[in-house]
């Protein structure tokens, strides 16, 4: 069992920045992936970014490329999502999720563990 806790959400003006954190209760072994997803009211949960172990490959949705950066700490227990140049359409609840392997990293149903989510609101 892996527990994930997100933090760092809040209210920010358009053009501003936020950094989200995802702390994992334990690190799994072998290939695994931490993904970030977001869900706006009335919409589906969408892929945002992912990073995998041990290769540290990074993947991004087209809508956030060049603005968001996913990274991890050296111990591998915390993953960050640095969000710059935020837009009103980035407003959503952001979730981190964990899974073994890294194929189909953009599909929420491939992830086994989820955090509780953190609200990001961007005012225009």
């Amino acid at each position: 069992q892996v527990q994930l806790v997100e933090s760092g959400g809040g209210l920010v003006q358009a053009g501003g920045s936020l950094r989200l954190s995802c702390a994992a209760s334990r690190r799994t072994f072998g290939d695994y992936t931490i993904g970030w997803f977001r869900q706006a009211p009335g919409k589906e949960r969408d892929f945002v970014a992912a990073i995998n172990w041990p290769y540290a490959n990074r993947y991004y949705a087209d809508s956030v490329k060049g603005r968001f950066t996913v990274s991890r700490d050296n111990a591998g227990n915390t993953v960050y999502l640095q969000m710059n140049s935020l837009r009103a359409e980035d407003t959503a609840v952001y979730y981190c999720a964990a899974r073994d392997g890294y194929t189909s990293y953009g599909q929420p149903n491939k992830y086994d563990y989820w955090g509780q989510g953190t609200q990001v609101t961007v005012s225009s």
Side-chain angles (χ1 to χ4, degrees), residues 87-100:
R87 306 166 180 167
E89 53 264 38
D90 294 318
T91 295
V93 177
Y94 283 70
Y95 299 89
C96 67
R99 55 157 294 183
D100 292 329

Side-chain angles (χ1 to χ4, degrees), residues 33-36 47-53 55-62 64-65 68-70 81 101-106 111:
T33 299
I34 299 289
W36 286 97
F47 169 73
V48 176
I51 187 168
N52 68 359
W53 273 259
Y55 310 109
N57 293 332
R58 294 169 171 82
Y59 309 96
Y60 297 96
D62 288 343
V64 306
K65 281 180 181 177
F68 290 12
T69 302
V70 62
L81 184 67
Y102 57 91
T103 58
S104 303
Y105 54 82
Y111 289 77

Side-chain angles (χ1 to χ4, degrees), residues 37-40 43-47 93 95-97 106 108 114-115:
F37 294 81
R38 65 188 181 186
Q39 189 166 19
K43 295 188 177 181
E44 295 184 348
R45 190 166 296 188
D46 292 330
F47 169 73
V93 177
Y95 299 89
C96 67
W114 290 84

Side-chain angles (χ1 to χ4, degrees), residues 6 11 13 20-22 28 35 37 40-42 45 47 52 54 60-61 74 77 81 87-88 94 100 119:
E6 302 99 335
L11 173 64
Q13 289 186 335
L20 305 183
S21 299
C22 174
T28 61
F37 294 81
R45 190 166 296 188
F47 169 73
N52 68 359
Y60 297 96
N74 289 334
N77 291 335
L81 184 67
R87 306 166 180 167
Y94 283 70
D100 292 329
Q119 176 71 47

